[in-house]
Amino acid sequence: MKQTILIVDDEPDMLTLLSRIIALKSSYHVTTTINALEVPGLLENNQYDLIITDLHMPGYSGIDLLRQVREQNRHEEVIIITAFRSFESVSEAISLGAYDYITKPFSREQILYIIEKVMRWQRAKKSESEMNAILEMKPFEIAADAFKKQYIHYLMESELNDPKELSGISGLPVDDFISE
Amino acid sequence: MSKQPSELEKSALVDASPEASKPGVQTLRERFQEFLQLLELNNKVLKIISDMEEKSQGNYLFDNKYILNMLDELNDALGKIIEIMIYIGGDSYRELRERFNKINSSIDSLMPGNQKVEEEVFVLPLESIGREHAQTMGSKNANLGEMKSKLDIPVPGGFGISSWGYKRFIDSNDLQTKISELIKSTDYKKNEDLKESAEAIRAMILNSPVPSDLVDEINESYHKLIAPLEYKKISVRSSAIGEDTLHSFAGQYYTFINVSENEITNCYRMILASKFTPRAIYYFLSHLITESDLAMGVCCQVMVDAQASGVAYSHNPVDKSDDSINIYSIYGLGDYLNSGKLSPDYFRVSRKDGTVIDRNIADKPVRLVLGESDGAIEEPVPENMRNTPSITPEHIAQITGYLLKLEEYYGFQLDIEWAVDKSGELYLLQSRPLHILDIRDDLVEPDMSSAKMLSKRGVVVCPGAGIGPIYHVTARPNEVLEIPQGVVLATKNPAPWLILTMERISALVTEVGGVANHLATIAREYQVPTLASVKNVASIPEGTIVTVDATKAIIYEGEYQDLVKARETEDIFDDVEVFNLLERIMKKISPLNLINPGDPNFQIQNCRTLHDIMRFAHQKAIVELFRGERFEKRRKWSEMYLKTDLPVKINILLLEGELKKYKIKRGISNKEIQSVPFCAFWKGVNQQGWQNQKKIVERYSIISKIETWATGDRESEYSKKSFVILGSNYMLFSLHLGYHLMTIESMITPEPDKNFVKLQHKGGGASRERRIRRIKLISSVLSLMGFEHHSSGDVLDTTLACESDECMIEKLSIIGRLTMMTKQLDMALGNDRIAEWHTNDIIRQLGLGAKES
């Protein structure tokens, strides 16, 4: 399943630029809004892997967003976009658990690099969490079955998508891939 | 008893005597400090301009606040420069402030929020509207009008209501003020608050009367339009002005169909009202509501009673490599396609011969048709039609033809909306630029962990990646065509001649230099991946195949096509308003029109950009520092000279440092001088020495020399005017050697951003041809040191800026030697071959590298 990003900024052009760069250079699904007051509702109904947010926005700032994510123990990581010389606000954001911050203006490469770092981290966290959940399962047969499903799912997300090829490299029956 | 200094004298030069400490006598020193401040501000302005140029290239994301901040800093620096000019140059420079204000006003008028609605008639028929009306009528009206009147493409008859008409409506009801007040007075804590405000504003607008003069014109145009028609209903649609920020996040279509006469003004009000979505209200919390935000055109057209309608693209909108025509079609009106309620038929058509390459016929269970009274109603599609093509091959061919015609006319890709009426007539309902985004399904950053790095440091001048064999060049070849196609060019300095190679090379790597020189600008224009300050590039063996990752400043051994692909820069910002705004603003900031100070057009009134203002101020500041009545006429204030074995008399004016130890009429040796640039330059001069020690007789005081130099009379007789003006970190040296004059101005400090060397050279005793050869010789040598030229004929004008103090000291010393080597060399340069020999010889002696033969 595609990883997802929510971008919040009260400058429409910044939203356009960011969403285009991400669409061009990655496979992540992007949602954008200029209206920060929509964010609580968006978080209530959706989960994201990454939230990129401007720091200073009317009514609901980047700091408010961070607080909500932390208080609700959500798994999203947050990147803060700041204007130059907002050092105090940046410190507050980092102490509230922002993954990183980036100062405007920034290059395409800079933002893509940070996004990729976050997404790798999220993928690693997710794998670890799923594996831990499997290890907790009892009895063994249930855990083995869950692991097999994960394994098949992982293989099918790779470049190969021919069930016969996948069966060949894994040793599992072709039907397992067809049914998935 | 010494004569008391006159008032004139009090305003004059610094002197070494005890009288020098009297009030008034320090004035020139103070002015000199102001002058140094001006130089610093100069460099600051150059840096800001360079930063803005870099951001305008498309590799950075920024917003309007960045532009405003940069403009503030520019205005602050230039304002101070102008104040300094007035201080040292007098009231005649107040005109510079006026010129500056005028340029600033023109920049201000470009900023969002400062754009006023243009005056126009309220209503125009479509056949009278063209592209030129986009700002007054909106882009929909402008495009439809252009197609109808200029391209003979079938477009339903109609008329446009201008943004001036809208302004009439807004102003007559004072809506801008009322809306602003409502928004300001609300405390927004949640999204529901925004929704309530949006509803309140929409209600306010819907309850406001449309002024009678506007209503009259709309009705008149309506009657003219439908007079010959049986069907009297029209469509009323928004026609956005410019980029129309609010429209981009409105989230709904401003379209009313099947509208009768008595509903037109109501629809007109509803179109404005629908601008005010919760997102729009939120936008206005941090942005002022301006006239241009509210401006909107409206398009009214006869209804097409569509049997089929759809959209078409002149290019695959999601795959840049696919240039086929893409047509989508459904039965009935097009709303169900636009809203996504129905899946359409799809046709992929070859643009070469119009054949249908691929198609997919969808199941179309329902269609939208015009209602009897108003609006539209849904009805089922007959069973036998549901899975048949909703459009004929003839219509496909027509749509393809119109798309290609529009593409050729406009020069860009387009998407259109079309409809076929019940009689089979095809009409185009809208055309827009098509923005194609190549969506990748996989991450494109290749794994370079096992690649061998040959260099991993440098300054990114132009991002991207290029592959090719390393090709080392140490000096300009006779023919740029000697450089093989597709190489990675490696050289020491960002010399100007490298501009000529941009179309041949796959990447450029220099040992020195940075992002703010002319070559850097050109590299970015040509999108040639370029790195600077790669110290070890000379050690990469000639011919080694490398991949230069100019985005991450790494050079790999080997060929990595995946990396090149990953670094391809898409031009994805060309329709984003903030970029367009910066481009428009840069036209009023960056171009340099005043180049030659000796040109009679080098005047305040010819300053067209902020860069011109800065250049003018810098050139005149030097002149004004010493002009006219501020000069001390009395010799006793001014007769220090440089003690030297060289056969040239050089008067000195010290503007900083302790002067008490100096007596007037005293020779000072270079060892006593505490000026960094002077010591560097003179070290080189002494090292090279003077081969022909004929003494030059000095007959004039330093003051008359400076006066003559300042007033532009530099075409002197044999040796009258050598002088040097010194500060601890500053030098202005006017050196007469033989028949030629060299002026060297330099600032050297521990801060590279403040440092520069400017060199101007003209004159000579030989023929013009020989003088030109000498200029070329000197230019070649200076190129190797990274100087940028603005030379022509027998006049040399060259600059090096923003390098470290150590680097500047080394280079000034070399210039000192070069000055001695070339002082009368023009006499010897009888032909090009001899000139080339001397060039090579001087380069070799100076240790700057040998020219390739």
Side-chain angles (χ1 to χ4, degrees), chain B residues 286-318:
Chain B
S286 49
H287 301 78
L288 281 174
I289 302 179
T290 64
E291 232 177 55
S292 55
D293 282 324
L294 298 178
M296 183 187 273
V298 171
C299 177
C300 301
Q301 284 182 289
V302 297
M303 277 307 306
V304 175
D305 192 5
Q307 59 164 305
S309 46
V311 298
Y313 304 99
S314 64
H315 196 289
N316 187 323
V318 294

Side-chain angles (χ1 to χ4, degrees), chain A residues 20 25 35 58 104 106 108, chain B residues 58 61 63 191 282 566 572 575:
Chain A
R20 278 194 192 169
K25 293 289 188 183
N35 178 5
K104 288 184 281 198
F106 49 84
R108 303 179 187 204
Chain B
L61 285 73
D63 53 20
N191 208 32
Y282 188 80
I572 55 175
D575 65 332

Side-chain angles (χ1 to χ4, degrees), chain B residues 94-141:
Chain B
R94 292 194 189 281
E95 198 189 331
L96 192 61
R97 191 193 282 144
E98 283 162 25
R99 193 76 205 129
F100 169 64
N101 287 342
K102 201 165 174 181
I103 297 171
N104 252 344
S105 291
S106 68
I107 292 174
D108 242 0
S109 67
L110 296 174
M111 296 306 293
N114 290 344
Q115 282 142 36
K116 298 287 175 201
V117 172
E118 267 181 60
E119 192 167 336
E120 179 60 272
V121 294
F122 290 152
V123 181
L124 273 177
L126 282 183
E127 43 275 14
S128 301
I129 299 175
R131 277 200 280 194
E132 65 277 14
H133 292 98
Q135 279 303 117
T136 53
M137 288 289 175
S139 47
K140 185 174 288 163
N141 281 325

Side-chain angles (χ1 to χ4, degrees), chain B residues 222-230 232:
Chain B
Y222 166 79
H223 283 290
K224 250 190 223 163
L225 178 67
I226 51 97
L229 303 174
E230 266 188 51
K232 309 290 185 189

Side-chain angles (χ1 to χ4, degrees), chain B residues 455-461 510 530-535 552-554:
Chain B
S455 165
K456 52 183 178 179
R457 275 206 192 88
V459 170
V460 177
V461 174
T510 67
T530 301
L531 287 176
S533 292
V534 179
K535 303 288 179 217
K552 294 199 171 165
I554 302 174

Side-chain angles (χ1 to χ4, degrees), chain B residues 724-736:
Chain B
V724 64
I725 299 166
L726 296 173
S728 332
N729 299 99
Y730 177 78
M731 172 183 84
L732 174 63
F733 206 143
S734 176
L735 186 59
H736 256 272

Side-chain angles (χ1 to χ4, degrees), chain B residues 144 147 153-156 402 406 416-418 426-430:
Chain B
L144 287 170
M147 285 195 287
I153 287 176
V155 165
Y402 290 142
L406 284 166
I416 59 171
E417 287 178 27
W418 57 266
L426 174 75
Y427 295 93
L428 263 52
L429 304 179
Q430 183 156 263

